[in-house]
């Protein structure tokens, strides 16, 4: 199994209301990809980190294989959500690993 984790911070110019709306849209969009993207077993988006966190959002996904991760990255449904994510975030950090 492959774990794919991504952390983002919201752009500074976004208001609290814009951040809240964006977080809800990102959570809904990414979690809805389970069952749509072949090999994507689970997707969890954390939108309310504790105050000591250095990022605003965290995506944790589980995929069947490294090939599933490659397919996920280029899946049109994922690309659509990722395009929105990039428009409202910065400071992306990611880690992929086999468990």
């Amino acid at each position: 199994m492959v774990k794919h984790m991504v952390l983002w911070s919201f752009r500074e110019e976004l208001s609290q209301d814009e951040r809240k709306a964006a977080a809800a849209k990102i959570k809904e969009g990414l979690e809805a990809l389970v069952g749509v993207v072949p090999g994507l077993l689970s997707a969890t988006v954390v939108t309310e980190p504790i105050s000591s966190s250095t990022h605003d959002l965290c995506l944790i996904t589980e995929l069947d294989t490294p090939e599933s991760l490659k397919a996920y990255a280029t899946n049109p449904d994922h690309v659509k959500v990722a395009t929105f994510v990039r428009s409202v975030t910065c400071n992306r950090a990611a880690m992929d690993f086999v468990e």
Side-chain angles (χ1 to χ4, degrees):
M1 179 183 328
V2 175
K3 291 247 183 156
H4 169 66
M5 299 176 66
V6 186
L7 301 166
W8 298 276
S9 297
F10 283 117
R11 294 186 183 276
E12 289 184 26
E13 64 269 17
L14 294 178
S15 70
Q16 287 299 332
D17 287 343
E18 290 170 321
R19 290 171 186 235
K20 191 171 190 171
K25 183 174 180 175
I26 291 166
K27 181 175 180 64
E28 180 181 341
L30 290 172
E31 291 181 357
L33 296 174
V34 176
V36 174
V37 177
L40 179 60
L41 304 174
S42 69
T44 303
V45 178
V46 178
T47 60
E48 296 185 23
I50 60 174
S51 61
S52 61
S53 299
T54 58
H55 291 80
D56 298 309
L57 298 167
C58 178
L59 167 66
I60 305 163
T61 60
E62 295 178 327
L63 299 106
D64 282 332
T65 64
E67 293 75 27
S68 298
L69 178 59
K70 290 177 186 175
Y72 168 75
T74 59
N75 179 281
D77 295 314
H78 172 259
V79 170
K80 182 177 178 181
V81 178
T83 299
F84 174 74
V85 172
R86 284 191 295 276
S87 76
V88 295
T89 63
C90 60
N91 300 325
R92 179 184 182 275
M95 182 175 184
D96 303 321
F97 58 95
V98 176
E99 192 170 56

